[in-house]
Amino acid sequence: MTEAGTRRQVSAEVPAIAFDVQARLLAGTRLERELEVEGFLCAKSRRSKKLVLHATRIEFIEGE
């Protein structure tokens, strides 16, 4: 990632949920496999303001 013209290493832990095809993809893979996830951030529930990533597209990184 580049910020203000400088390359930066970025990492974070974000809780995520997946449904249907995406959930089946995850269920069939080993832990700690690198992947790229696309989706949207939303509150965990109507009563909770904690953010959760709703995964709408999952792609495994080649070589893993």
Side-chain angles (χ1 to χ4, degrees):
M1 168 169 268
T2 302
E3 178 184 37
T6 304
R7 182 117 173 105
R8 294 183 47 134
Q9 172 109 13
V10 178
S11 67
E13 289 186 23
V14 178
I17 58 174
F19 297 98
D20 198 28
V21 174
Q22 306 308 314
R24 287 194 295 271
L25 276 173
L26 290 175
T29 193
R30 70 183 182 347
L31 293 176
E32 298 185 17
R33 183 164 180 200
E34 288 191 39
L35 49 91
E36 184 175 297
V37 178
E38 185 176 297
F40 60 93
L41 292 172
C42 188
K44 185 175 180 180
S45 68
R46 290 182 183 192
R47 290 185 255 172
S48 173
K49 299 299 180 192
K50 293 182 179 180
L51 289 178
V52 174
L53 173 64
H54 290 248
T56 57
R57 185 188 64 81
I58 296 171
E59 183 177 318
F60 295 103
I61 305 297
E62 291 296 320
E64 286 296 311

